[in-house]
Amino acid sequence: MSRLGVVARKKRALAFAAGGVAGLSMGAAAQAADVAAEAADASAAPTVSGLDVTAVRTREPESPKFTAPLVDTPRSVTVIPREIIEQTAATSLADILRTSPGITFGAGEGGQPLADRPFIRGQSSGNNVFVDGVRDSGGQTREIFALEQVEVIKGADSAYSGRGSGGGSINLTSKRPRLDSFVNGQARVGTADFYRGAIDANYQLGDTTAVRLNVMGQDTKAPGRDAGGGERYGVLAGVATGIGTETRATVLYYHLRSDELPDYGVPLFTKTPGLARTDSGVLPVPRGSYYGLKARDFQKTEADIATFIAEHDVSEAFKIRNVFRASRTLNDYVVTNPGDGGAAQLIGGEYWMKRGTKSRWNPTTTIANVTDVYGKFGAGLVSHSYDLGLELSRERNKNAAYMIYTAAGSPCPAGFTNTVTAAGVGDCTLVFAPNPDDPWTGVINRPEASRNLTKTVGVYAFDTISIGDKWLLNLGVRHDSYSVDGTDVAITSAAGVQTGAAYTARSGDWDFTNYQAGLVYKPTAGSSVYVSYGTSSTPPTIAAGDQNTGSGVGSGNLANVLLDPEDVTSFEIGAKAALFDERLTVSAAYFDLKRKNAQIQIADGVYAQAGEAQVKGVEIGVTGALTPRWHLFGGYTYQDSELVRGAYNSANVGDPLANTPKHSLSLFTTYQLTDAFSFGGGAYHVSKSFGGNQGGAGGGTNLVYAPAYWRFDAFAAYRINDTVDLQLNVQNVGDKAYIARTNGVHHADYGPGRQAILTLNVRY
């Protein structure tokens, strides 16, 4: 009898099931066997909604850095498999990470690009996104059509990932050619003028060679908003040879283009003086209020990524894997910031505001190479599973803000002050009734860009030492040499034309070593109890806000001082187990994360790297089947965060950290009513979340936050025959108007409104 939804296979699938909640796998050693097993399963398994319905498959991560099976890795990791990506109708990284509690997304402000900005355990992780184990540099918004699974590593993990990674990192695993021939077509239509089509075609050319092509196109508006959305298309092409043999090679090429109308949300109370504030501080405008301009605003994303993977198995004890990556990404946008055009003015009984703008032209090119030597050896009571590696990378980054000048736009009312500025004239709108169709003409010119070259050399070693069948010792260490050389360009302009430039050369280099250690005890073959400790280092040029921003002029001013990396330590204790005849896997962990060495003002005009923050909490995960028909995927995270030491005047000391809600819960579940029909849905809860400068015990004054919310989604699938099925998703069933995030100073972003999506899947 076929089974729908989320389930774990017995015995062989234990590793797969455990991956959904709290572990990483054995690595590349099992890849060939898994690919062969997957091909065999695919040929026999029934499908519903385009999926193998007999299991939620969590393919093992290919990186050999993870030297123990999922259940025996002493670290919290959420692995989100392809089945969950498909069943939830996700189309973006933000969509799919909603299913992993404890991850939030920050608003695009404070020098950050309008791009993916995940926060893990209170730490910004936007620069810690990887594709097939290689860092995916450059600010961008990511698609998920070409993904096999998403792996979220939680806790300080610079031993695994290198620089940054204070709260964790995210790895996107691409679909690969496999020994099978099939064509899967998918057509989706939905409310908010949603249209999306995708084709996944794989063809086996011989006993060990295959090619695979994924193509996607989408056009949509933004549900619940008066404007937004846009078009995107993408391609992933791959060829692999030697599949299942001792020598394997894979070439992948990924291409993505998008042209969308960006959305910077709604303004905060702080922009309307004299108006009684709401409790959260978010201005109570209608949810659909869109402050941008269709005639001016845009966001264009481009990504071209070529990857070559070569592997050779000399013996079980000695294997070699090399990954070479060349990529170029571009994040290019002009967006209206409703909170950056100055305070609103009350004229004729109505509030008027001037539109502010944010913009960025940010191309990034990367060349990287990662080499691993790994294997297993040992006999008797002690055995080793090891990995030795070398990472080399060069990243070239350009960054410019557009020169924007309004020649004519929506006029400001009589009596509105400051109507003529360096940005031009006009361009006003009613605060409570903005019109995205307002006229605009003017100049958008790109000036000379700041630029930098980043070089990284990383060497690392990992070893899982098995002592008998009850104890494992997991060890890892990594040393990085990291350098940045660049030129900052400060331009002057008039009427949108560059009139001059000042150049400042900047450079810096850092050497840092990080490690991890974990001890695992196995009460049974399918369970473990562990304790672990890890560290990370974040150099100051990783993200805006970590650079030298001190403005004092005293002897302690750090404006011209090369800062040390911020340090994060993470302690974790947890347990994992497979229950109900290994159908269901659960995990629980307590974690304590501390970030030190942040820049703060310690006296009037004196700055030092003495800031400290802490996040501690509990994470619970579940994946698999309670019964043969009832399937679950999700978890709960509790986070108690605190700014332990901040500025000398104690402002914000004792406050919770930005983008770190105390409670977050996600649960996606399906139930098979008949052999052909299943139904279910998702429940998601996030408690109050501040965006920065929130105030509290330390005396901060802003007090702006995103209120707590519940969101519910619905799912149903019906198999018409062996090759055709239908899937219906209704996102945000109750049409809940909730704030997904706020930066706490300028604006807040609403979550998407209700949207129904019908999917037709066809397989050959």
Side-chain angles (χ1 to χ4, degrees):
M1 180 179 65
S2 66
R3 298 199 296 270
L4 302 177
V6 181
V7 353
R9 288 187 190 274
K10 188 176 178 181
K11 298 196 183 298
R12 186 175 69 81
L14 173 61
F16 299 143
V21 288
L24 283 174
S25 72
M26 299 169 63
Q31 181 191 11
D34 185 51
V35 169
E38 184 179 86
D41 291 340
S43 65
T47 54
V48 171
S49 300
L51 307 175
D52 173 358
V53 300
T54 55
V56 164
R57 301 195 54 83
T58 305
R59 276 181 45 180
E60 303 202 2
E62 293 185 348
S63 174
K65 296 175 183 177
F66 305 106
T67 53
L70 296 166
V71 73
D72 298 335
T73 297
R75 176 176 289 273
S76 291
V77 176
T78 300
V79 178
I80 306 169
R82 176 177 56 89
E83 286 80 358
I84 297 298
I85 296 174
E86 294 287 347
Q87 289 179 343
T88 57
T91 62
S92 68
L93 187 60
D95 284 345
I96 194 57
L97 289 181
R98 183 175 64 248
T99 65
S100 178
I103 300 179
T104 58
F105 274 72
E109 183 51 52
Q112 296 283 2
L114 190 64
D116 293 331
R117 291 190 60 215
F119 281 73
I120 306 175
R121 292 185 177 174
Q123 316 303 311
S124 178
S125 301
N127 291 289
N128 304 322
V129 179
F130 296 74
V131 174
D132 299 320
V134 179
R135 188 180 298 273
D136 192 30
S137 303
Q140 55 187 292
T141 54
R142 295 171 177 86
E143 249 288 344
I144 51 82
F145 76 97
L147 298 184
E148 193 68 39
Q149 66 183 35
V150 177
E151 303 147 15
V152 184
I153 307 167
K154 298 180 180 178
D157 72 331
S158 281
Y160 285 115
S161 305
R163 70 181 197 256
S165 307
S169 58
I170 299 166
N171 183 57
L172 313 180
T173 300
S174 302
K175 294 178 180 178
R176 306 291 178 82
R178 66 190 195 191
L179 297 180
D180 192 9
S181 292
F182 61 83
V183 177
N184 294 332
Q186 182 185 82
R188 287 177 173 171
V189 296
T191 57
D193 293 336
F194 177 85
Y195 303 94
R196 182 180 174 98
I199 296 175
D200 181 1
N202 191 93
Y203 185 70
Q204 183 174 338
L205 298 176
D207 292 339
T208 66
T209 303
V211 295
R212 190 168 184 176
L213 178 67
N214 281 265
V215 180
M216 177 278 305
Q218 176 178 301
D219 188 3
T220 185
K221 295 181 180 178
R225 303 288 286 154
D226 291 345
E231 302 175 351
R232 66 178 74 158
Y233 69 91
V235 175
L236 174 68
V239 57
T241 187
I243 302 174
T245 70
E246 295 176 347
T247 303
R248 305 172 295 280
T250 302
V251 177
L252 298 172
Y253 171 67
Y254 174 81
H255 173 82
L256 178 70
R257 292 290 185 273
S258 69
D259 188 356
E260 299 176 316
L261 188 62
D263 188 355
Y264 234 49
V266 301
L268 305 180
F269 166 80
T270 51
K271 301 303 175 182
T272 53
L275 187 69
R277 64 164 288 158
T278 61
D279 184 58
S280 69
V282 178
L283 200 65
V285 299
R287 178 177 66 179
S289 299
Y290 182 87
Y291 294 84
L293 289 172
K294 295 178 181 178
R296 177 186 64 195
D297 296 2
F298 65 88
Q299 182 176 20
K300 297 181 179 180
T301 296
E302 299 179 5
D304 291 277
I305 303 173
T307 305
F308 175 63
I309 305 171
E311 301 169 281
H312 179 64
D313 301 343
V314 178
S315 67
E316 184 69 14
F318 189 85
K319 303 181 181 183
I320 302 174
R321 181 175 189 263
N322 192 85
V323 181
F324 175 80
R325 164 79 46 79
S327 69
R328 179 187 181 276
T329 65
L330 173 65
N331 192 16
D332 184 15
Y333 63 81
V334 171
V335 61
T336 297
N337 182 344
D340 206 32
Q345 300 175 36
L346 184 62
I347 298 176
E350 294 182 298
Y351 275 98
W352 289 82
M353 68 186 301
K354 186 164 184 173
R355 292 180 170 98
T357 59
K358 295 288 184 183
S359 64
R360 181 171 294 238
W361 178 76
N362 180 205
T364 302
T365 58
T366 301
I367 296 177
N369 194 86
V370 180
T371 304
D372 290 274
V373 175
Y374 62 99
K376 299 179 182 180
F377 65 91
L381 292 177
V382 179
S383 62
H384 296 263
S385 176
Y386 75 94
D387 175 50
L388 304 175
L390 170 66
E391 177 183 326
L392 306 172
S393 70
R394 293 168 58 95
E395 304 166 21
R396 291 190 179 273
N397 188 293
K398 295 182 179 180
N399 200 337
Y402 281 99
M403 299 174 295
I404 304 168
Y405 184 82
T406 300
S410 176
C412 298
F416 192 92
T417 59
N418 192 29
T419 59
V420 180
T421 70
V425 299
D427 203 11
C428 279
T429 185
L430 285 166
V431 173
F432 285 87
N435 182 7
D437 294 309
D438 279 343
W440 186 88
T441 58
V443 176
I444 301 176
N445 284 329
R446 189 177 74 232
E448 188 174 358
S450 298
R451 50 198 178 271
N452 64 61
L453 171 64
T454 299
K455 300 178 183 179
T456 299
V457 177
V459 292
Y460 51 85
F462 297 92
D463 190 11
T464 293
I465 305 169
S466 299
I467 306 171
D469 59 358
K470 294 293 185 181
W471 293 94
L472 297 95
L473 181 62
N474 183 283
L475 302 173
V477 63
R478 174 171 172 141
H479 179 80
D480 283 272
S481 292
Y482 172 80
S483 66
V484 179
D485 292 284
T487 301
D488 290 345
V489 181
I491 64 104
T492 56
S493 65
V497 177
Q498 181 174 333
T499 58
Y503 305 91
T504 303
R506 298 192 184 277
S507 64
D509 57 84
W510 298 265
D511 285 271
F512 42 87
T513 301
N514 289 280
Y515 63 93
Q516 65 166 34
L519 182 64
V520 179
Y521 174 71
K522 297 183 62 59
T524 66
S527 64
S528 66
V529 179
Y530 67 88
V531 60
S532 65
Y533 185 84
T535 68
S536 75
S537 299
T538 303
T541 52
I542 292 299
D546 294 327
Q547 300 172 3
N548 307 32
T549 55
S551 57
V553 295
S555 60
N557 181 21
L558 298 176
N560 296 306
V561 174
L562 187 65
L563 301 183
D564 294 326
E566 288 188 358
D567 298 319
V568 176
T569 60
S570 180
F571 169 80
E572 186 170 316
I573 183 170
K576 310 172 189 179
L579 307 175
F580 304 133
D581 198 24
E582 300 182 354
R583 289 197 314 263
L584 184 75
T585 303
V586 297
S587 68
Y590 168 82
F591 59 87
D592 188 343
L593 183 148
K594 296 180 180 178
R595 175 164 52 107
K596 299 182 179 180
N597 222 26
Q599 178 195 356
I600 61 172
Q601 189 174 10
I602 61 173
D604 189 16
V606 180
Y607 295 78
Q609 287 189 261
E612 182 178 342
Q614 183 175 23
V615 183
K616 41 187 186 177
V618 174
E619 182 167 316
I620 299 171
V622 58
T623 187
L626 279 174
T627 73
R629 291 180 176 268
W630 184 13
H631 318 293
L632 306 170
F633 183 93
Y636 164 78
T637 299
Y638 170 80
Q639 298 178 108
D640 181 12
S641 66
E642 179 184 6
L643 179 63
V644 177
R645 187 179 182 193
Y648 74 103
N649 58 8
S650 297
N652 297 112
V653 170
D655 288 348
L657 302 183
N659 302 294
T660 313
K662 273 197 172 184
H663 306 278
S664 57
L665 178 144
S666 68
L667 181 64
F668 184 80
T669 181
T670 63
Y671 186 82
Q672 182 188 355
L673 190 62
T674 70
D675 287 352
F677 177 71
S678 67
F679 68 96
Y684 308 97
H685 172 69
V686 178
S687 63
K688 176 194 295 188
S689 178
F690 290 99
N693 190 28
Q694 52 264 32
T701 59
N702 206 11
L703 298 171
V704 173
Y705 63 90
Y709 68 88
W710 280 92
R711 166 181 160 164
F712 299 96
D713 297 347
F715 161 87
Y718 181 75
R719 178 161 52 89
I720 298 174
N721 54 45
D722 289 341
T723 61
V724 180
D725 60 72
L726 290 172
Q727 175 179 315
L728 176 65
N729 293 85
V730 182
Q731 318 285 30
N732 193 2
V733 172
D735 201 23
K736 174 70 174 180
Y738 66 94
I739 299 296
R741 54 193 170 265
T742 173
N743 78 327
V745 178
H746 292 280
H747 66 102
D749 300 334
Y750 272 101
R754 179 170 52 224
Q755 183 177 36
I757 299 173
L758 181 65
T759 303
L760 172 67
N761 290 295
V762 180
R763 298 165 303 282
Y764 296 97

